[in-house]
Amino acid sequence: MRVLLIGANGYLGRYVADRLLADPAVQLTVLGRGDDADVRFDLATGSPGALTRFLDAVHPGVVVNCSGATRGGARDLTRHNTVAVATICEALRRSGCGARLVHLGCASEYGPSQPGSSTAEDAVPRPGGPYGVSKLAATELVLGSGLDAVVLRVFSPVGPGTPAGSPLGRLAEAMRRAMQSGDGELKLGGLGVQRDFVDVRDVARAVHAASLSAAQGVVNIGTGRAVRLREAASVLARVAGFGGALHELDSPPARLIIPGPSPEHGAAPPTYPYPDGCGTWQQADVRTARDRLGWRPRIGLEESLADIWMEAACRI
């Protein structure tokens, strides 16, 4: 099976590449902006015609899109998350390769949900920020393309390589600093938020399964269990061997605040309410992934947090 992977250098893309390379039946080609890509191509600026010519030359059976941006203004998010996907869809429509498209969406497309509820694929999307809007627009392009396509809506990915700017990445870095300086307590704010954390390696397994399946439409990828950030912080402290106290600051639950050195000139570091636009609660209904992909998560949160800590500890 010839697979074209787009976005192999990203957090999710690296593990998807590893998973696909582990399958001896897969012949993998990587397309991206970096020098290490098999083919250099910028989806945000490249034309559908140029991509079509490449698709016709390689003739992949599956195209996996892990590309995109999580930060930036509305213009950058639209260019990298929406325009790029429009380019992929148009190129696939023009090409004679007939490839199946596996596109990675995200839970931010849903927006806030009611505490205690599980969000199924038929929920009406109401993204709470520009990132979710840009990703939802991409999903709509895929679903309306007429292609053989599936969108995997990934909830909150965690595990090795977790970005330092993510909530759990910031927690690990704050704990590392506290242990390095010998602080006996760690003050944190905004730990009331609850998210469905799914290990990045399980996400890669889902992509592999989707590539081999006939599933179409939207499929949620999560664990089906929301975890309070406060609980994750306690588990992280245990796996890190942090013997100090965790004190929660009296701050709005929407924010994760970690006191520390300000970035420059004494200015306070910025904090943003619900940066993912998902409110205080999000939990996936994962029955579709089980029924249509034969997929279930295998890696528990404690293992994911232990791997996050191992990387953070290497910086001590």
Side-chain angles (χ1 to χ4, degrees):
M1 179 174 66
R2 293 181 179 177
V3 178
L4 174 65
L5 174 60
I6 305 172
N9 285 333
Y11 173 42
L12 298 179
R14 291 195 298 272
Y15 290 95
V16 171
D18 289 344
R19 179 72 187 186
L20 293 173
L21 286 169
D23 183 348
V26 170
Q27 181 181 337
L28 185 65
T29 301
V30 172
L31 181 146
R33 291 179 291 173
D35 293 335
D36 54 348
D38 296 318
V39 177
R40 293 189 65 181
F41 188 86
D42 188 344
L43 286 171
T45 59
S47 71
L51 183 56
T52 299
R53 290 190 291 274
F54 172 71
L55 291 172
D56 288 339
V58 175
H59 213 79
V62 178
V63 173
V64 177
N65 180 36
C66 298
S67 67
T70 58
R71 295 182 177 184
R75 178 178 296 180
D76 287 338
L77 292 171
T78 300
R79 185 168 68 249
H80 292 290
N81 294 338
T82 310
V83 174
V85 173
T87 299
I88 294 172
C89 291
E90 180 61 23
L92 282 170
R93 279 195 296 263
R94 296 182 188 182
S95 173
C97 68
R100 171 173 172 77
L101 174 60
V102 179
H103 172 68
L104 291 194
C106 70
S108 293
E109 298 173 40
Y110 288 121
S113 55
Q114 287 295 323
S117 67
S118 293
T119 303
E121 289 85 355
D122 59 358
V124 177
R126 294 187 176 89
Y131 171 64
V133 170
S134 69
K135 292 292 290 184
L136 177 60
T139 290
E140 294 298 332
L141 286 171
V142 172
L143 297 180
S145 66
L147 300 169
D148 175 12
V150 62
V151 176
L152 303 183
R153 272 196 180 136
V154 179
F155 277 63
S156 299
V158 296
T162 294
S166 70
L168 293 180
R170 291 198 297 273
L171 280 172
E173 177 59 20
M175 202 164 289
R176 183 195 69 80
R177 291 199 309 262
M179 295 177 71
Q180 187 176 25
S181 62
D183 290 344
E185 64 177 10
L186 186 58
K187 296 179 180 180
L188 306 167
L191 298 182
V193 172
Q194 297 181 71
R195 291 290 182 265
D196 189 331
F197 296 108
V198 57
D199 193 275
V200 65
R201 292 158 292 191
D202 281 332
V203 174
R205 287 180 42 249
V207 172
H208 188 205
S211 300
L212 299 173
S213 78
Q216 295 187 338
V218 175
V219 180
N220 288 340
I221 303 299
T223 65
R225 174 177 176 259
V227 176
R228 197 178 300 274
L229 205 53
R230 183 183 304 114
E231 178 184 339
S234 298
V235 174
L236 185 61
R238 184 172 71 251
V239 299
F242 178 66
L246 296 177
H247 293 301
E248 187 168 3
L249 299 174
D250 184 16
S251 63
R255 305 181 179 200
L256 172 63
I257 301 174
I258 300 173
S262 40
E264 59 179 354
H265 307 306
T271 58
Y272 302 96
Y274 310 118
D276 59 3
C278 296
T280 59
W281 169 277
Q282 201 170 54
Q283 177 175 283
D285 182 329
V286 294
R287 289 175 294 179
T288 301
R290 178 195 64 202
D291 297 341
R292 298 173 65 187
L293 301 182
W295 176 90
R296 288 180 174 84
R298 294 178 181 173
I299 300 175
L301 182 58
E302 183 165 345
E303 182 177 344
S304 301
L305 290 171
D307 289 336
I308 291 173
W309 174 248
M310 284 183 66
E311 291 190 341
C314 289
R315 296 193 292 270
I316 293 180

